[in-house]
Amino acid sequence: MHDEKILKILRTNTDIHTSSDELCKTTGITRAAVWKHIESLRKEGYDIEASPHLGYKLVAIPDSLIPSEIRWQLKTKTIGSAVISYKKVDSTNDSAYALAENGIAEGTVVTAEEQAHGKGRHGRKWESPPKAGVYMSCILRPAMAPNEIPKITLVAAVAVTKAIRRFTGLEAMIKWPNDILINGRKVCGILTEMKAEQDSIDFIILGIGVNVNTPGSCLPKGATSLREELDGFSKKDNLSRIGVVKIILESLEEEYSRLRIKGVKPIIEEWRSMSMLPGAKIKVLLSNRTIEGEVHDIDSDGSLMVRLDSGVFEKVSSGDVVMLR
Ligand code: BT5
């Protein structure tokens, strides 16, 4: 708690030193105790300058996904109202699921620096090298029927695409249902899982993986990272992963409340404008067969409408899309 208090004072005075006396007065602890807290902050990676006469000055914050850094000036009410950060977990979706089963509040976010068994859909793997990407899961408790879950995937895809565009200026695009691509390469994947009764959702775990500073050599073929795509961005400098997390949480809150207030229609309109698919020739790999055709549209429940080569329309609610040209 004192760490946070001290940090707050230093953060609001980054252009000047704050004297030990001032820190003692505001926190109500001794000089020696202040020094101990400064040391513990330094261990977390904060660069704090100490001058015997002037006091302390915050020079740089670490790019670790520390809850207090994520929550600092975060402009949301619900999403990110609590943040739990781990160094390494099997999967943030699994950690969040366990917390949600114990009743943790909507909006709680779980992040990790690294995942040992990051999950994609259908038992696939999500490469999650340490400190390179953002791996996070958000607990949602929407008043919805279980068959409405694709709406949440749409909300997430729109929110994250907007966030990536705002953060980098790059033209991120959505590939149905859950991929975000830049220049045709996958930079983000979304995994939506849920626990539900027959006609109501208990909770949803919205898992989001973004390759932020991940070198191409750590990624599978066809994948990329924000840093790789930012032309002219020095390869020595990393993008702020905390910045990426914050902008995604803020965007997610905007779109999630828009869904609640205005329904799915405006989300779908925006989804269309950011989607790579309308009119595209595609192949869809379904669980037991493959279909080929042209993308017609997206339905109000989030399904993909495909016009088959035979002229018949088919509605697809889950599958993998391969672009044919
Ligand atoms: C996804 O699955 O794209 C969903 C990925 C969700 C990851 C997040 S990270 C936080 C949370 N915790 C988790 O355990 N998961 C979520 P899918 O559409 O099935 O795509 C998986 C495929 O993408 C793999 O089979 C690879 O071909 C490719 N892939 C694996 N790692 C990748 C990466 N880091 N970047 C881009 N593509 C990757």
Side-chain angles (χ1 to χ4, degrees):
M1 201 184 77
H2 287 309
D3 276 10
E4 287 210 10
K5 267 194 185 164
I6 291 174
L7 203 51
K8 196 168 169 194
I9 303 167
L10 296 182
R11 266 202 192 108
T12 40
N13 294 300
T14 48
D15 43 350
I16 49 164
H17 285 81
T18 307
S19 70
S20 304
D21 285 349
E22 169 88 33
L23 291 175
C24 294
K25 218 164 67 195
T26 329
T27 52
I29 56 176
T30 63
R31 269 169 172 262
V34 165
W35 173 247
K36 264 197 183 160
H37 286 292
I38 295 280
E39 279 300 287
S40 101
L41 287 168
R42 280 177 168 163
K43 274 199 193 114
E44 277 193 72
Y46 290 91
D47 185 356
I48 301 171
E49 200 180 278
S51 148
H53 302 297
L54 300 172
Y56 301 103
K57 190 165 116 174
L58 181 62
V59 179
I61 59 167
D63 192 36
S64 304
L65 302 179
I66 300 168
S68 58
E69 284 305 329
I70 294 173
R71 300 220 354 96
W72 173 248
Q73 295 185 333
L74 184 70
K75 297 185 218 69
T76 63
K77 279 204 186 105
T78 311
I79 310 291
S81 49
V83 177
I84 300 168
S85 297
Y86 296 103
K87 286 225 155 56
K88 185 172 179 178
V89 289
D90 277 347
S91 150
T92 55
N93 263 36
D94 292 351
S95 308
Y97 197 100
L99 289 164
E101 282 206 296
N102 284 320
I104 206 156
E106 170 163 79
T108 302
V109 169
V110 176
T111 72
E113 300 289 356
E114 179 181 2
Q115 297 186 114
H117 301 288
K119 300 192 296 185
R121 293 176 305 146
H122 314 302
R124 288 189 288 242
K125 189 176 171 200
W126 185 257
E127 299 295 340
S128 316
K131 290 199 158 252
V134 157
Y135 319 114
M136 67 179 180
S137 302
C138 182
I139 295 160
L140 300 175
R141 298 183 182 277
M144 274 183 176
N147 63 2
E148 292 182 279
I149 193 174
K151 289 182 187 169
I152 296 290
T153 307
L154 291 182
V155 161
V158 167
V160 180
T161 306
K162 276 182 160 178
I164 291 176
R165 287 181 176 194
R166 279 181 199 147
F167 194 78
T168 62
L170 295 168
E171 215 197 26
M173 300 294 281
I174 304 170
K175 179 172 160 246
W176 186 90
N178 67 328
D179 291 353
I180 298 174
L181 278 63
I182 298 177
N183 296 323
R185 291 183 284 269
K186 182 162 172 175
V187 75
C188 167
I190 296 166
L191 176 66
T192 321
E193 297 182 292
M194 73 170 162
K195 184 175 179 198
E197 307 301 320
Q198 203 168 3
D199 51 10
S200 70
I201 289 175
D202 192 358
F203 58 79
I204 286 178
I205 307 298
L206 182 60
I208 300 169
V210 187
N211 305 320
V212 181
N213 297 312
T214 324
S217 56
C218 297
L219 292 171
K221 207 170 146 254
T224 190
S225 67
L226 299 181
R227 196 179 72 173
E228 297 269 323
E229 292 302 316
L230 272 174
D231 243 9
F233 189 81
S234 162
K235 299 273 176 199
K236 288 199 303 293
D237 293 327
N238 278 337
L239 289 162
S240 159
R241 289 178 308 133
I242 293 174
V244 171
V245 171
K246 288 171 87 135
I247 205 162
I248 289 177
L249 298 183
E250 288 170 357
S251 183
L252 199 54
E253 174 136 324
E254 265 173 42
E255 301 306 325
Y256 187 50
S257 41
R258 191 151 70 128
L259 174 74
R260 262 192 314 234
I261 297 162
K262 299 198 171 151
V264 77
K265 218 171 146 209
I267 310 270
I268 288 187
E269 271 160 28
E270 210 149 18
W271 191 96
R272 272 193 198 108
S273 75
M274 296 193 280
S275 165
M276 300 178 61
L277 293 181
K281 278 286 283 172
I282 57 163
K283 186 158 81 175
V284 190
L285 316 174
L286 304 171
S287 56
N288 52 356
R289 68 204 162 92
T290 299
I291 57 170
E292 265 189 47
E294 192 182 289
V295 177
H296 176 62
D297 202 356
I298 180 136
D299 204 8
S300 57
D301 62 2
S303 311
L304 192 68
M305 308 282 290
V306 184
R307 190 204 312 260
L308 302 185
D309 292 343
S310 62
V312 172
F313 285 94
E314 180 150 347
K315 198 169 137 167
V316 179
S317 59
S318 132
D320 284 308
V321 170
V322 179
M323 315 282 289
L324 292 181
R325 63 171 147 77

